[in-house]
């Protein structure tokens, strides 16, 4: 009887050791000290710029890749864009980057867009870095708030929010200039 318990104990101990070894062997995540990635103190940065969505004319920066339903909300419309970002509302003001992404008309009862975009900076100390915004944009509201969900370069681990205000809209061409104030926490 004692040998049966000893055999069972040996078996349980062996399985525990094997399980422990396998868990370590197949581990795919580990905790890191932030200093390993040279992360310093987190800071808050405010950006103020203008987003130029040119839909009409001979050189559009935004094109429909999927037409919407022919209703008042254009539900289903999807546009891809590569829009200039400037320091002022004049399209000829200093270019600081591009906003690249898509917007889709995602609401059936109102004009509400799903925005998925990167603000890719090409000027100054943020050149080569980007901020990623993903969120709901009910464009008829005076102020719309969307989350900053990440970034790259100087904006690794970024989070925050963006406020959008329509500065100009042409109902015929559908061209728009939108003022953005973006508040980003980053390292």
């Amino acid at each position: 009887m004692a040998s049966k318990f000893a055999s069972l104990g040996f078996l349980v101990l062996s399985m525990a050791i094997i399980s422990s070894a396998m868990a370590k062997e197949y581990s795919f995540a580990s905790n890191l000290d932030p200093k390993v990635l040279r992360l310093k103190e987190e800071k808050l940065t405010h950006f103020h710029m203008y987003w130029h969505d040119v839909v009409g004319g001979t050189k559009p920066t935004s094109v429909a890749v999927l037409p919407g339903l022919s209703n008042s909300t254009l539900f289903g419309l999807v546009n891809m864009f590569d829009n200039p970002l400037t320091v002022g509302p004049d399209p000829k003001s200093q270019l600081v980057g591009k906003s690249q992404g898509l917007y889709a008309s995602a609401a059936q009862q109102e004009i509400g867009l799903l925005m998925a975009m990167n603000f890719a900076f090409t000027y100054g100390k943020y050149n080569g870095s980007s901020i990623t915004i993903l969120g709901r944009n009910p464009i008829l509201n005076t102020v719309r708030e969307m989350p900053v969900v990440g970034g790259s370069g100087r904006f690794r681990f970024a989070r925050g929010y963006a406020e959008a205000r329509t500065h100009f809209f042409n109902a015929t061409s559908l061209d728009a200039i939108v003022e953005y104030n973006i508040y980003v926490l980053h390292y």
Side-chain angles (χ1 to χ4, degrees):
M1 184 75 143
S3 66
K4 285 184 182 180
F5 285 119
S7 296
L8 182 60
F10 178 75
L11 180 62
V12 169
L13 181 62
S14 298
M15 289 176 60
I17 291 171
I18 291 170
S19 293
S20 175
M22 287 178 64
K24 289 179 184 176
E25 181 180 341
Y26 294 110
S27 178
F28 63 92
S30 61
N31 293 328
L32 291 177
D33 182 344
K35 293 174 187 171
V36 170
L37 296 176
R38 297 185 187 131
L39 298 179
K40 298 177 182 169
E41 186 176 325
E42 193 171 39
K43 52 191 158 275
L44 175 64
T45 302
H46 170 241
F47 290 96
H48 179 252
M49 66 196 83
Y50 291 83
W51 183 86
H52 300 268
D53 194 46
V54 180
V55 179
T58 58
K59 292 187 177 182
T61 62
S62 180
V63 295
V65 294
L66 189 63
L69 298 176
S70 58
N71 63 18
S72 60
T73 68
L74 295 175
F75 179 66
L77 169 79
V78 178
N79 266 48
M80 296 295 299
F81 59 84
D82 185 10
N83 291 341
L85 296 169
T86 63
V87 296
D90 183 343
K92 294 179 180 143
S93 64
Q94 174 68 51
L95 181 71
V96 294
K98 296 291 208 110
S99 176
Q100 298 165 327
L102 63 92
Y103 54 82
S105 182
Q108 294 185 50
Q109 304 302 318
E110 65 178 326
I111 301 175
L113 303 177
L114 166 66
M115 307 290 292
M117 58 186 164
N118 289 312
F119 279 36
F121 297 101
T122 58
Y123 181 78
K125 72 179 187 176
Y126 300 108
N127 182 22
S129 298
S130 67
I131 295 170
T132 302
I133 297 171
L134 174 67
R136 181 175 179 267
N137 184 358
I139 63 173
L140 296 180
N141 291 3
T142 303
V143 180
R144 290 92 65 193
E145 185 177 306
M146 293 167 276
V148 170
V149 296
S152 67
R154 290 182 174 259
F155 301 108
R156 290 182 187 140
F157 300 107
R159 65 191 190 285
Y161 71 99
E163 289 182 345
R165 291 175 175 80
T166 302
H167 178 79
F168 167 81
F169 177 70
N170 182 319
T172 305
S173 68
L174 303 179
D175 292 353
I177 299 172
V178 180
E179 177 184 19
Y180 272 88
N181 280 287
I182 305 171
Y183 301 88
V184 183
L185 285 165
H186 61 100
Y187 290 95

